[in-house]
Amino acid sequence: MDLKKTIRTVPDWPKKGIMFRDITTLLQNPAAFKELCDTLYERYKNEAVDYVVGIESRGFILGSVLAYKLGVGFVIIRKPGKLPAETIKQEYKLEYGTDTIEIHKDAIKPGDKVLVVDDLIATGGTVCAAVDLVEKLGATVVECVFAIELPDLKGREKLTGHKVYSVMIFEGD
Ligand code: AMP
């Protein structure tokens, strides 16, 4: 199946000039959702992985399915103020201003091998901050995993030294 055809593109959302790649239409389509999840599982089924780390909020959808299929734990990275126990935080740059994400301090430990999952990589700012959090806890990132990559925004280059895998590529953004 051509999974890209199941993605809805919404021009000028959430603001002018953004081509929003909406995965909800893929998720609604059972064959497409299955194919995406199976593709990720097939890639990592023989890999030594201790945890899948999902980035709020669409990273939770694919990440938790992948963790379940791999038989490993699922760890969440959230926007500030949502996690109840002790956390570490990482700030990152947005087009205007900054944002912060955080992870529970005891979620992963030194030596753990993790996959970091989000729905989409654009500039790479969000995933870089997530990788920093994982590495601050002493764990190793096996690969950063996305349903969609927007190569024109060069997020992959920001992740130097880390492996990046994306299932669908949308050029021209
Ligand atoms: P970035 O930090 O620039 O790589 O942006 C990645 C985050 O923003 C991901 O969590 C995406 O869900 C969201 N995002 C950025 N650009 C888009 C886009 N064009 N369509 C859908 N989601 C986007």
Side-chain angles (χ1 to χ4, degrees):
M1 171 186 311
D2 185 353
L3 286 180
K4 283 178 73 175
K5 289 211 171 90
T6 70
I7 299 291
R8 170 166 53 200
T9 298
V10 184
D12 297 323
W13 197 89
K15 55 186 178 188
K16 213 170 169 39
I18 304 280
M19 294 285 272
F20 193 85
R21 305 299 182 177
D22 176 20
I23 64 161
T24 66
T25 41
L26 180 152
L27 300 172
Q28 267 167 253
N29 177 326
F33 188 26
K34 183 175 191 318
E35 184 167 322
L36 177 60
C37 294
D38 288 349
T39 300
L40 298 180
Y41 171 65
E42 287 299 319
R43 183 171 175 87
Y44 301 110
K45 65 181 181 188
N46 298 318
E47 193 89 39
V49 169
D50 299 298
Y51 292 100
V52 174
V53 176
I55 304 175
E56 185 171 357
S57 57
R58 288 180 296 267
F60 292 172
I61 301 164
L62 298 177
S64 61
V65 171
L66 181 59
Y68 174 78
K69 290 272 284 176
L70 292 174
V72 303
F74 183 57
V75 168
I76 62 179
I77 286 183
R78 296 209 65 178
K79 313 262 165 66
K82 307 274 190 184
L83 290 171
E86 204 182 341
T87 64
I88 57 166
K89 298 179 191 357
Q90 182 68 48
E91 204 178 71
Y92 61 100
K93 275 200 193 116
L94 298 173
E95 198 181 342
Y96 303 103
T98 62
D99 216 338
T100 304
I101 50 175
E102 57 184 351
I103 189 170
H104 274 145
K105 249 184 176 166
D106 61 1
I108 43 181
K109 54 189 184 312
D112 283 338
K113 293 185 170 59
V114 312
L115 295 169
V116 175
V117 180
D118 204 357
D119 65 326
L120 180 146
I121 179 170
T123 67
T126 311
V127 66
C128 274
V131 165
D132 285 345
L133 286 176
V134 165
E135 292 181 343
K136 274 185 190 165
L137 294 176
T140 302
V141 175
V142 174
E143 194 154 70
C144 299
V145 187
F146 306 93
I148 297 174
E149 178 173 357
L150 308 181
D152 297 28
L153 296 174
K154 302 189 190 312
R156 192 180 271 271
E157 289 173 26
K158 210 175 264 168
L159 277 169
T160 37
H162 293 96
K163 289 171 72 189
V164 176
Y165 175 69
S166 50
V167 178
M168 289 165 273
I169 294 179
F170 285 87
E171 313 227 20
D173 287 286

